[in-house]
Amino acid sequence: MKSLNIRILNESDAQQYQELRLTGLKTNPEAFGSTYERESKFSLETVIDRIRPTSDKFVLGAFNEFGLLHGIVALVRETGMKTTHKANVFGMYISKEKRGKGIGKTLMYELIEIARKIEGLEQLKLSVVSDNEPAKKLYNSIGFKTYGIEPNALKFIGEYYDEDLMVFKL
């Protein structure tokens, strides 16, 4: 892409975020814990609340030179007394026509840079459908390590999907 603007999403991005998120849920339903049917009912207010950044959560977006959103990924810190040193990465999606152009890697590097500035945060976790080789290759190239596999982690239309559990030490 000619010019890529990576930044934390805010309220004004809610509509574009929701459109891209719903496209992802429709295009790759097996890759997400949620469903298009569920999230297509979300009000704009719900989406705004979901993406509103706090000290413990944010959604990153990758915008092209025209301000169109082509990639998203979220980080949410754990809240348990003994788990606040960890955060979960989820909801990664790159629009189909922009895949293979380094947007996912750029988003992940930026997410890691922001995560490193969060006081007390030590590691990032994510899960990825075990047969999603492009995503696994991306996460491995950045330094995520697989620490386990959850069999039948997701079930969609009667079909089960295993997930690789991965971790990155900040």
Side-chain angles (χ1 to χ4, degrees), residues 7-162:
R7 64 173 174 78
I8 293 175
L9 301 185
N10 58 51
E11 289 185 16
S12 66
D13 301 310
Q15 189 68 47
Q16 274 202 85
Y17 167 84
Q18 182 66 344
E19 289 169 12
L20 188 59
R21 173 82 177 160
L22 290 175
T23 299
L25 291 169
K26 223 190 276 188
T27 306
N28 296 101
E30 76 289 346
F32 298 97
S34 189
T35 65
Y36 176 86
E37 291 70 28
R38 175 178 173 263
E39 292 195 20
S40 63
K41 295 179 179 82
F42 286 179
S43 68
L44 194 57
E45 290 72 30
T46 299
V47 176
I48 287 169
D49 285 344
R50 181 181 221 190
I51 69 168
R52 183 177 289 123
T54 70
S55 59
D56 292 328
K57 78 168 174 69
F58 61 86
V59 179
L60 272 184
F63 296 84
N64 72 7
E65 65 270 25
F66 305 110
L68 297 175
L69 185 62
H70 286 292
I72 50 177
V73 65
L75 178 138
V76 178
R77 188 176 195 165
E78 295 197 11
T79 56
M81 188 186 308
K82 295 181 179 181
T83 59
T84 59
H85 66 290
K86 300 185 285 186
N88 293 291
V89 177
F90 67 94
M92 166 70 95
Y93 181 74
I94 308 301
S95 59
K96 213 167 186 173
E97 68 275 7
K98 298 295 183 185
R99 292 179 187 172
K101 298 182 185 328
I103 296 173
K105 187 173 271 194
T106 304
L107 273 171
M108 288 301 295
Y109 278 136
E110 183 64 20
L111 180 139
I112 289 166
E113 284 310 303
I114 295 169
R116 283 191 166 125
K117 295 173 186 160
I118 299 173
E119 189 175 336
L121 196 57
E122 298 173 18
Q123 67 184 35
L124 305 177
K125 300 184 325 176
L126 61 79
S127 57
V128 58
V129 173
S130 296
D131 63 5
N132 186 345
E133 291 303 327
K136 287 170 44 176
K137 184 177 172 188
L138 164 68
Y139 299 136
N140 280 314
S141 76
I142 290 167
F144 277 84
K145 303 284 184 234
T146 300
Y147 66 89
I149 296 173
E150 181 181 354
N152 299 345
L154 300 174
K155 183 180 180 183
F156 184 67
I157 312 177
E159 192 169 340
Y160 290 100
Y161 298 89
D162 297 349

